[in-house]
Amino acid sequence: MNRQSNIYTVVYASVLVLVVGVVLSVVYQALRPRQLENIDNDTKKQILLAARITAEPGESIGDLYAAHITDEYIVDSEGKKVDNGVDAFKVNVGSEVKKPASERLLPVFVCRTSAGEKYILPCYGAGLWGPIWGYVAFDSNGDTIYGAYFAHQGETPGLGAEIEKPAFSTQFDGKNVFSKSGDFQSVEVVKTGQEPADRSYVHAISGGTITSQGVSRMLQNSLEPYAAFLKSLQNTTNDKN
């Protein structure tokens, strides 16, 4: 075949594209399990951080997760366990929060810590530039927050992105989500000087008003459907006492 002809050029380019495509496909398939493992480990790390558990240098996140997370299950908005064969770890919380509360699959992660058993609940919402999400760990009394972790996809560094810093998340430690009358009241994120007198609150990030408001809405929308489940924990604690 004449190497100077248009036909040769087209054939050569087609074969080259085909070969490169096959090679990339093989590499992608070979690396896919490792990519999925890394994604799972990052999620496990975030869940553990909500319970104030961090890996030591050289310690495997998978092993740490297995040592502390003693159970994973799904509940419905009535606080009852859902046995539908779905893995709680694989529930797409971002999709679930868009559904009516009565239709949601609500994952629960039970964590063993040095301070006792904690119940970790996921949350998902919208910040200024994209999705925000996190995990909130509750004491076994079903009311008091033990710890929290928040993350984001693209919030502004130094402003909204500060939700990922301990300076913001540790404010939630010890906050309650039920009023004295027993009604669910999510922790509110407010500006300094606008603190409510009748509910738990944390201070918003300076300069990150919209992201802070997003966190407040996220917690209300994501955690309120767990109210019946959290109440059941309270009843269990009261029975033990």
Side-chain angles (χ1 to χ4, degrees), residues 207-223:
T209 301
I210 296 179
T211 306
S212 298
Q213 291 173 345
V215 172
S216 201
R217 289 191 297 268
M218 173 180 71
L219 293 173
Q220 178 69 37
N221 180 42
S222 298
L223 297 181

Side-chain angles (χ1 to χ4, degrees), residues 61-90:
I61 290 294
D63 292 342
L64 191 65
Y65 188 86
H68 287 277
I69 302 300
T70 59
D71 200 3
E72 302 174 356
Y73 52 83
I74 296 171
V75 298
D76 58 22
S77 60
E78 295 181 356
K80 300 176 182 178
K81 287 188 179 181
V82 177
D83 185 13
N84 59 358
V86 176
D87 184 349
F89 187 81
K90 298 298 184 181

Side-chain angles (χ1 to χ4, degrees), residues 126-128 132 150 155 159-163 168 171-172 187-191 202-219:
L128 174 60
I132 56 177
F150 302 107
E155 299 306 289
L159 299 175
E162 294 297 298
I163 64 171
F168 176 72
Q171 292 185 86
F172 289 84
V187 178
E188 191 170 359
V189 184
V190 300
K191 292 183 178 180
V202 299
H203 287 119
I205 296 166
S206 178
T209 301
I210 296 179
T211 306
S212 298
Q213 291 173 345
V215 172
S216 201
R217 289 191 297 268
M218 173 180 71
L219 293 173

